[in-house]
PDB file of all heavy atoms in Angstrom:
ATOM      1  N   SER D   1      58.710 -32.862 277.477  1.00 93.00           N
ATOM      2  CA  SER D   1      58.386 -32.659 276.061  1.00 93.00           C
ATOM      3  C   SER D   1      58.225 -31.179 275.786  1.00 93.00           C
ATOM      4  O   SER D   1      57.909 -30.397 276.678  1.00 93.00           O
ATOM      5  CB  SER D   1      57.075 -33.376 275.714  1.00 93.00           C
ATOM      6  OG  SER D   1      57.240 -34.761 275.838  1.00 93.00           O
ATOM      7  N   HIS D   2      58.431 -30.801 274.530  1.00 94.00           N
ATOM      8  CA  HIS D   2      58.308 -29.407 274.097  1.00 94.00           C
ATOM      9  C   HIS D   2      57.355 -29.345 272.919  1.00 94.00           C
ATOM     10  O   HIS D   2      57.403 -30.215 272.043  1.00 94.00           O
ATOM     11  CB  HIS D   2      59.679 -28.864 273.667  1.00 94.00           C
ATOM     12  CG  HIS D   2      60.727 -29.000 274.713  1.00 94.00           C
ATOM     13  ND1 HIS D   2      60.991 -28.021 275.639  1.00 94.00           N
ATOM     14  CD2 HIS D   2      61.571 -30.022 274.999  1.00 94.00           C
ATOM     15  CE1 HIS D   2      61.960 -28.425 276.439  1.00 94.00           C
ATOM     16  NE2 HIS D   2      62.331 -29.635 276.071  1.00 94.00           N
ATOM     17  N   LYS D   3      56.525 -28.326 272.863  1.00 95.00           N
ATOM     18  CA  LYS D   3      55.692 -28.123 271.682  1.00 95.00           C
ATOM     19  C   LYS D   3      56.610 -27.865 270.498  1.00 95.00           C
ATOM     20  O   LYS D   3      57.695 -27.309 270.644  1.00 95.00           O
ATOM     21  CB  LYS D   3      54.745 -26.949 271.893  1.00 95.00           C
ATOM     22  CG  LYS D   3      53.680 -27.243 272.917  1.00 95.00           C
ATOM     23  CD  LYS D   3      52.689 -26.107 273.022  1.00 95.00           C
ATOM     24  CE  LYS D   3      51.634 -26.485 274.032  1.00 95.00           C
ATOM     25  NZ  LYS D   3      50.492 -25.595 274.011  1.00 95.00           N
ATOM     26  N   LEU D   4      56.150 -28.260 269.321  1.00 96.00           N
ATOM     27  CA  LEU D   4      56.970 -28.167 268.117  1.00 96.00           C
ATOM     28  C   LEU D   4      57.443 -26.738 267.854  1.00 96.00           C
ATOM     29  O   LEU D   4      58.627 -26.513 267.594  1.00 96.00           O
ATOM     30  CB  LEU D   4      56.204 -28.708 266.905  1.00 96.00           C
ATOM     31  CG  LEU D   4      56.902 -28.626 265.552  1.00 96.00           C
ATOM     32  CD1 LEU D   4      58.254 -29.334 265.575  1.00 96.00           C
ATOM     33  CD2 LEU D   4      56.002 -29.211 264.476  1.00 96.00           C
ATOM     34  N   SER D   5      56.563 -25.773 267.916  1.00 94.00           N
ATOM     35  CA  SER D   5      56.966 -24.392 267.622  1.00 94.00           C
ATOM     36  C   SER D   5      57.963 -23.872 268.645  1.00 94.00           C
ATOM     37  O   SER D   5      58.874 -23.113 268.309  1.00 94.00           O
ATOM     38  CB  SER D   5      55.747 -23.474 267.518  1.00 94.00           C
ATOM     39  OG  SER D   5      54.997 -23.519 268.696  1.00 94.00           O
ATOM     40  N   ILE D   6      57.836 -24.303 269.890  1.00 94.00           N
ATOM     41  CA  ILE D   6      58.790 -23.899 270.932  1.00 94.00           C
ATOM     42  C   ILE D   6      60.150 -24.548 270.675  1.00 94.00           C
ATOM     43  O   ILE D   6      61.191 -23.904 270.788  1.00 94.00           O
ATOM     44  CB  ILE D   6      58.244 -24.231 272.334  1.00 94.00           C
ATOM     45  CG1 ILE D   6      57.039 -23.332 272.632  1.00 94.00           C
ATOM     46  CG2 ILE D   6      59.322 -24.101 273.399  1.00 94.00           C
ATOM     47  CD1 ILE D   6      56.271 -23.698 273.865  1.00 94.00           C
ATOM     48  N   ALA D   7      60.131 -25.830 270.311  1.00 96.00           N
ATOM     49  CA  ALA D   7      61.392 -26.522 269.993  1.00 96.00           C
ATOM     50  C   ALA D   7      62.085 -25.844 268.818  1.00 96.00           C
ATOM     51  O   ALA D   7      63.294 -25.601 268.858  1.00 96.00           O
ATOM     52  CB  ALA D   7      61.120 -27.995 269.685  1.00 96.00           C
ATOM     53  N   ALA D   8      61.324 -25.500 267.787  1.00 96.00           N
ATOM     54  CA  ALA D   8      61.905 -24.831 266.626  1.00 96.00           C
ATOM     55  C   ALA D   8      62.510 -23.489 267.034  1.00 96.00           C
ATOM     56  O   ALA D   8      63.643 -23.170 266.656  1.00 96.00           O
ATOM     57  CB  ALA D   8      60.844 -24.641 265.545  1.00 96.00           C
ATOM     58  N   HIS D   9      61.769 -22.728 267.810  1.00 94.00           N
ATOM     59  CA  HIS D   9      62.263 -21.426 268.269  1.00 94.00           C
ATOM     60  C   HIS D   9      63.551 -21.586 269.076  1.00 94.00           C
ATOM     61  O   HIS D   9      64.517 -20.835 268.874  1.00 94.00           O
ATOM     62  CB  HIS D   9      61.190 -20.719 269.095  1.00 94.00           C
ATOM     63  CG  HIS D   9      61.634 -19.420 269.665  1.00 94.00           C
ATOM     64  ND1 HIS D   9      61.798 -18.288 268.903  1.00 94.00           N
ATOM     65  CD2 HIS D   9      61.985 -19.085 270.936  1.00 94.00           C
ATOM     66  CE1 HIS D   9      62.219 -17.301 269.671  1.00 94.00           C
ATOM     67  NE2 HIS D   9      62.346 -17.762 270.908  1.00 94.00           N
ATOM     68  N   ARG D  10      63.576 -22.553 269.969  1.00 94.00           N
ATOM     69  CA  ARG D  10      64.762 -22.778 270.803  1.00 94.00           C
ATOM     70  C   ARG D  10      65.990 -23.119 269.969  1.00 94.00           C
ATOM     71  O   ARG D  10      67.112 -22.848 270.360  1.00 94.00           O
ATOM     72  CB  ARG D  10      64.511 -23.902 271.804  1.00 94.00           C
ATOM     73  CG  ARG D  10      63.576 -23.510 272.902  1.00 94.00           C
ATOM     74  CD  ARG D  10      63.344 -24.672 273.812  1.00 94.00           C
ATOM     75  NE  ARG D  10      63.626 -24.233 275.163  1.00 94.00           N
ATOM     76  CZ  ARG D  10      63.853 -25.041 276.170  1.00 94.00           C
ATOM     77  NH1 ARG D  10      63.861 -26.345 275.976  1.00 94.00           N
ATOM     78  NH2 ARG D  10      64.095 -24.563 277.369  1.00 94.00           N
ATOM     79  N   GLU D  11      65.760 -23.747 268.818  1.00 95.00           N
ATOM     80  CA  GLU D  11      66.870 -24.146 267.958  1.00 95.00           C
ATOM     81  C   GLU D  11      67.154 -23.120 266.865  1.00 95.00           C
ATOM     82  O   GLU D  11      67.949 -23.374 265.961  1.00 95.00           O
ATOM     83  CB  GLU D  11      66.590 -25.520 267.345  1.00 95.00           C
ATOM     84  CG  GLU D  11      66.408 -26.630 268.371  1.00 95.00           C
ATOM     85  CD  GLU D  11      67.572 -26.755 269.341  1.00 95.00           C
ATOM     86  OE1 GLU D  11      68.749 -26.613 268.907  1.00 95.00           O
ATOM     87  OE2 GLU D  11      67.328 -27.005 270.540  1.00 95.00           O
ATOM     88  N   GLY D  12      66.489 -21.959 266.934  1.00 95.00           N
ATOM     89  CA  GLY D  12      66.725 -20.897 265.966  1.00 95.00           C
ATOM     90  C   GLY D  12      66.134 -21.171 264.595  1.00 95.00           C
ATOM     91  O   GLY D  12      66.593 -20.627 263.590  1.00 95.00           O
ATOM     92  N   LEU D  13      65.116 -22.015 264.545  1.00 95.00           N
ATOM     93  CA  LEU D  13      64.467 -22.376 263.283  1.00 95.00           C
ATOM     94  C   LEU D  13      63.182 -21.571 263.107  1.00 95.00           C
ATOM     95  O   LEU D  13      62.483 -21.309 264.085  1.00 95.00           O
ATOM     96  CB  LEU D  13      64.133 -23.869 263.271  1.00 95.00           C
ATOM     97  CG  LEU D  13      65.316 -24.815 263.469  1.00 95.00           C
ATOM     98  CD1 LEU D  13      64.825 -26.239 263.693  1.00 95.00           C
ATOM     99  CD2 LEU D  13      66.240 -24.748 262.259  1.00 95.00           C
ATOM    100  N   PRO D  14      62.844 -21.217 261.879  1.00 88.00           N
ATOM    101  CA  PRO D  14      61.591 -20.486 261.666  1.00 88.00           C
ATOM    102  C   PRO D  14      60.393 -21.392 261.945  1.00 88.00           C
ATOM    103  O   PRO D  14      60.416 -22.580 261.611  1.00 88.00           O
ATOM    104  CB  PRO D  14      61.638 -20.075 260.196  1.00 88.00           C
ATOM    105  CG  PRO D  14      62.631 -20.976 259.559  1.00 88.00           C
ATOM    106  CD  PRO D  14      63.588 -21.416 260.632  1.00 88.00           C
ATOM    107  N   ALA D  15      59.375 -20.834 262.557  1.00 82.00           N
ATOM    108  CA  ALA D  15      58.140 -21.576 262.855  1.00 82.00           C
ATOM    109  C   ALA D  15      57.055 -21.104 261.899  1.00 82.00           C
ATOM    110  O   ALA D  15      56.067 -20.515 262.304  1.00 82.00           O
ATOM    111  CB  ALA D  15      57.746 -21.381 264.310  1.00 82.00           C
ATOM    112  N   ARG D  16      57.257 -21.367 260.614  1.00 82.00           N
ATOM    113  CA  ARG D  16      56.300 -20.934 259.586  1.00 82.00           C
ATOM    114  C   ARG D  16      55.121 -21.892 259.498  1.00 82.00           C
ATOM    115  O   ARG D  16      55.290 -23.101 259.567  1.00 82.00           O
ATOM    116  CB  ARG D  16      56.975 -20.898 258.217  1.00 82.00           C
ATOM    117  CG  ARG D  16      57.941 -19.767 258.075  1.00 82.00           C
ATOM    118  CD  ARG D  16      58.413 -19.658 256.618  1.00 82.00           C
ATOM    119  NE  ARG D  16      59.701 -19.021 256.603  1.00 82.00           N
ATOM    120  CZ  ARG D  16      60.845 -19.639 256.384  1.00 82.00           C
ATOM    121  NH1 ARG D  16      60.873 -20.920 256.135  1.00 82.00           N
ATOM    122  NH2 ARG D  16      61.974 -18.980 256.393  1.00 82.00           N
ATOM    123  N   ASP D  17      53.955 -21.319 259.297  1.00 84.00           N
ATOM    124  CA  ASP D  17      52.734 -22.100 259.077  1.00 84.00           C
ATOM    125  C   ASP D  17      52.476 -23.128 260.173  1.00 84.00           C
ATOM    126  O   ASP D  17      52.053 -24.258 259.893  1.00 84.00           O
ATOM    127  CB  ASP D  17      52.783 -22.794 257.707  1.00 84.00           C
ATOM    128  CG  ASP D  17      52.940 -21.816 256.565  1.00 84.00           C
ATOM    129  OD1 ASP D  17      52.301 -20.744 256.631  1.00 84.00           O
ATOM    130  OD2 ASP D  17      53.709 -22.106 255.633  1.00 84.00           O
ATOM    131  N   ALA D  18      52.731 -22.730 261.421  1.00 84.00           N
ATOM    132  CA  ALA D  18      52.455 -23.624 262.549  1.00 84.00           C
ATOM    133  C   ALA D  18      50.976 -23.981 262.560  1.00 84.00           C
ATOM    134  O   ALA D  18      50.127 -23.174 262.196  1.00 84.00           O
ATOM    135  CB  ALA D  18      52.861 -22.962 263.860  1.00 84.00           C
ATOM    136  N   HIS D  19      50.679 -25.179 262.965  1.00 85.00           N
ATOM    137  CA  HIS D  19      49.321 -25.717 263.035  1.00 85.00           C
ATOM    138  C   HIS D  19      48.674 -25.873 261.671  1.00 85.00           C
ATOM    139  O   HIS D  19      47.454 -25.850 261.537  1.00 85.00           O
ATOM    140  CB  HIS D  19      48.441 -24.922 264.004  1.00 85.00           C
ATOM    141  CG  HIS D  19      48.965 -24.941 265.396  1.00 85.00           C
ATOM    142  ND1 HIS D  19      49.084 -26.108 266.128  1.00 85.00           N
ATOM    143  CD2 HIS D  19      49.430 -23.953 266.181  1.00 85.00           C
ATOM    144  CE1 HIS D  19      49.596 -25.823 267.308  1.00 85.00           C
ATOM    145  NE2 HIS D  19      49.816 -24.529 267.376  1.00 85.00           N
ATOM    146  N   THR D  20      49.511 -26.030 260.645  1.00 94.00           N
ATOM    147  CA  THR D  20      49.063 -26.589 259.373  1.00 94.00           C
ATOM    148  C   THR D  20      49.853 -27.871 259.231  1.00 94.00           C
ATOM    149  O   THR D  20      50.999 -27.948 259.693  1.00 94.00           O
ATOM    150  CB  THR D  20      49.348 -25.661 258.168  1.00 94.00           C
ATOM    151  OG1 THR D  20      50.758 -25.571 257.958  1.00 94.00           O
ATOM    152  CG2 THR D  20      48.746 -24.273 258.377  1.00 94.00           C
ATOM    153  N   SER D  21      49.267 -28.874 258.630  1.00 97.00           N
ATOM    154  CA  SER D  21      49.975 -30.156 258.562  1.00 97.00           C
ATOM    155  C   SER D  21      51.279 -30.036 257.773  1.00 97.00           C
ATOM    156  O   SER D  21      52.305 -30.582 258.182  1.00 97.00           O
ATOM    157  CB  SER D  21      49.070 -31.242 257.971  1.00 97.00           C
ATOM    158  OG  SER D  21      48.637 -30.897 256.671  1.00 97.00           O
ATOM    159  N   LEU D  22      51.278 -29.283 256.685  1.00 97.00           N
ATOM    160  CA  LEU D  22      52.488 -29.139 255.885  1.00 97.00           C
ATOM    161  C   LEU D  22      53.534 -28.300 256.613  1.00 97.00           C
ATOM    162  O   LEU D  22      54.724 -28.654 256.640  1.00 97.00           O
ATOM    163  CB  LEU D  22      52.164 -28.530 254.526  1.00 97.00           C
ATOM    164  CG  LEU D  22      53.313 -28.484 253.517  1.00 97.00           C
ATOM    165  CD1 LEU D  22      53.879 -29.877 253.240  1.00 97.00           C
ATOM    166  CD2 LEU D  22      52.847 -27.829 252.218  1.00 97.00           C
ATOM    167  N   GLY D  23      53.119 -27.216 257.232  1.00 96.00           N
ATOM    168  CA  GLY D  23      54.051 -26.380 257.987  1.00 96.00           C
ATOM    169  C   GLY D  23      54.687 -27.139 259.133  1.00 96.00           C
ATOM    170  O   GLY D  23      55.896 -27.052 259.364  1.00 96.00           O
ATOM    171  N   ASP D  24      53.885 -27.913 259.865  1.00 97.00           N
ATOM    172  CA  ASP D  24      54.414 -28.679 260.994  1.00 97.00           C
ATOM    173  C   ASP D  24      55.323 -29.823 260.530  1.00 97.00           C
ATOM    174  O   ASP D  24      56.328 -30.124 261.180  1.00 97.00           O
ATOM    175  CB  ASP D  24      53.281 -29.211 261.868  1.00 97.00           C
ATOM    176  CG  ASP D  24      52.617 -28.113 262.694  1.00 97.00           C
ATOM    177  OD1 ASP D  24      53.112 -26.961 262.694  1.00 97.00           O
ATOM    178  OD2 ASP D  24      51.590 -28.409 263.343  1.00 97.00           O
ATOM    179  N   ALA D  25      54.984 -30.458 259.410  1.00 98.00           N
ATOM    180  CA  ALA D  25      55.860 -31.515 258.891  1.00 98.00           C
ATOM    181  C   ALA D  25      57.214 -30.933 258.496  1.00 98.00           C
ATOM    182  O   ALA D  25      58.267 -31.503 258.812  1.00 98.00           O
ATOM    183  CB  ALA D  25      55.195 -32.212 257.697  1.00 98.00           C
ATOM    184  N   ARG D  26      57.197 -29.779 257.850  1.00 97.00           N
ATOM    185  CA  ARG D  26      58.461 -29.144 257.450  1.00 97.00           C
ATOM    186  C   ARG D  26      59.247 -28.646 258.662  1.00 97.00           C
ATOM    187  O   ARG D  26      60.483 -28.710 258.669  1.00 97.00           O
ATOM    188  CB  ARG D  26      58.183 -28.030 256.453  1.00 97.00           C
ATOM    189  CG  ARG D  26      57.786 -28.596 255.102  1.00 97.00           C
ATOM    190  CD  ARG D  26      57.626 -27.558 254.037  1.00 97.00           C
ATOM    191  NE  ARG D  26      57.461 -28.215 252.742  1.00 97.00           N
ATOM    192  CZ  ARG D  26      56.733 -27.728 251.748  1.00 97.00           C
ATOM    193  NH1 ARG D  26      56.121 -26.559 251.885  1.00 97.00           N
ATOM    194  NH2 ARG D  26      56.631 -28.375 250.612  1.00 97.00           N
ATOM    195  N   MET D  27      58.558 -28.165 259.679  1.00 97.00           N
ATOM    196  CA  MET D  27      59.241 -27.744 260.903  1.00 97.00           C
ATOM    197  C   MET D  27      59.887 -28.949 261.585  1.00 97.00           C
ATOM    198  O   MET D  27      61.007 -28.865 262.091  1.00 97.00           O
ATOM    199  CB  MET D  27      58.230 -27.072 261.851  1.00 97.00           C
ATOM    200  CG  MET D  27      58.805 -25.954 262.658  1.00 97.00           C
ATOM    201  SD  MET D  27      57.621 -25.155 263.806  1.00 97.00           S
ATOM    202  CE  MET D  27      56.097 -25.077 262.916  1.00 97.00           C
ATOM    203  N   THR D  28      59.192 -30.083 261.578  1.00 98.00           N
ATOM    204  CA  THR D  28      59.744 -31.314 262.158  1.00 98.00           C
ATOM    205  C   THR D  28      61.003 -31.728 261.410  1.00 98.00           C
ATOM    206  O   THR D  28      62.021 -32.066 262.025  1.00 98.00           O
ATOM    207  CB  THR D  28      58.696 -32.440 262.130  1.00 98.00           C
ATOM    208  OG1 THR D  28      57.566 -32.045 262.909  1.00 98.00           O
ATOM    209  CG2 THR D  28      59.257 -33.745 262.673  1.00 98.00           C
ATOM    210  N   LEU D  29      60.957 -31.699 260.089  1.00 98.00           N
ATOM    211  CA  LEU D  29      62.134 -32.060 259.292  1.00 98.00           C
ATOM    212  C   LEU D  29      63.301 -31.119 259.583  1.00 98.00           C
ATOM    213  O   LEU D  29      64.443 -31.572 259.740  1.00 98.00           O
ATOM    214  CB  LEU D  29      61.789 -32.045 257.799  1.00 98.00           C
ATOM    215  CG  LEU D  29      62.925 -32.408 256.851  1.00 98.00           C
ATOM    216  CD1 LEU D  29      63.480 -33.801 257.126  1.00 98.00           C
ATOM    217  CD2 LEU D  29      62.453 -32.286 255.399  1.00 98.00           C
TER     218      LEU D  29
END
């Protein structure tokens, strides 16, 4: 498993507002 912010970084996605529920939901999407 990978932490969400690490997964986003690996895929070249911005990791904005990590560890906020809205930021993490948008990062997941």
Side-chain angles (χ1 to χ4, degrees):
S1 294
H2 305 269
K3 291 185 178 192
L4 177 56
S5 57
I6 292 170
H9 177 73
R10 288 178 127 198
E11 300 305 320
L13 302 170
R16 288 189 205 106
D17 301 320
H19 299 297
T20 68
S21 59
L22 187 58
D24 287 353
R26 288 186 171 148
M27 214 181 321
T28 299
L29 180 59

